[in-house]
Structures are given as structure tokens and as C-alpha cells.
Amino acid sequence: MHAYLITSKPGPFRRLIGAVRTWTVRLLAGLAMTVLGLLVLVIRCTRPVVNYLAVRAVWLEAWASKVTGLPQVGAAVGEGLTEEFVREFRKHARPTASAGSAR
């Protein structure tokens, strides 16, 4: 191996390209983190509104069921979804995990 291959440094143009590439990646990563952060913020801010609307929808459905005499559809669907979530959670839960463990 020749000595000039070991001691040679990149020229100014190559260093400029490397710096531009590094800062471009940093800016894109910062932009991606900012967009994801804003998305999480929007979801967290709209959650109370969605919860309020869900409670009102359940109340309206209960009222309509009482007035019309028809059964509540949301209660049946919600019960099935809850059972499915519980079944899925138990299937994937660790066998040694406990709800009150203080680790």
C-alpha cells in the first residue's frame, strides 16, 4: 500500500458535499420528528372531544332506545369489542405479569 493513500485527506469539494449530506439528513430527521410530535399533540388534544362525543352518543342511543323500545345496538357491539380486546390482551400478555407489581 502506498503512503499517499493512507495520509491523503479529502479535498474541499468532497468535504463540502459530506457536510451538506450530514446537515440534510439532520434537517430531514428534525422535520420528521416535528411532524410526528405535532401529530401526537393533535391526537392528544382531540381525545377529550372524542370522549365527550362518545358519551353523548351513548346517552342519545339510550334515550332513543327507551323512547322507541328497540334494543341498543352500541351496547351489543361494545360488549363484543371489549371481550375481543380482553381475549387478545390475555393471549399476548406475559404469564408472570401482574397488574399491581411494583418494579
Side-chain angles (χ1 to χ4, degrees):
M1 184 170 263
H2 298 287
Y4 68 87
L5 291 177
I6 296 172
T7 60
S8 67
K9 296 180 181 177
F13 184 69
R14 284 201 178 262
R15 282 186 294 194
L16 177 67
I17 289 175
V20 168
R21 183 177 61 218
T22 300
W23 280 103
T24 302
V25 169
R26 288 179 182 175
L27 287 173
L28 286 174
L31 180 65
M33 288 187 291
T34 302
V35 168
L36 288 173
L38 287 173
L39 181 65
V40 167
L41 178 67
V42 167
I43 290 171
R44 285 184 177 246
C45 289
T46 57
R47 187 174 176 188
V49 174
V50 170
N51 286 344
Y52 175 78
L53 292 175
V55 167
R56 287 292 152 207
V58 168
W59 179 85
L60 182 63
E61 184 187 20
W63 173 81
S65 174
K66 188 168 79 172
V67 169
T68 61
L70 296 173
Q72 293 183 8
V73 177
V77 172
E79 183 183 4
L81 284 174
T82 302
E83 289 175 5
E84 184 62 32
F85 281 133
V86 168
R87 191 177 312 117
E88 193 69 22
F89 174 75
R90 287 186 179 152
K91 184 167 60 173
H92 294 292
R94 294 178 299 170
T96 59
S98 63
S101 66
R103 284 189 180 198

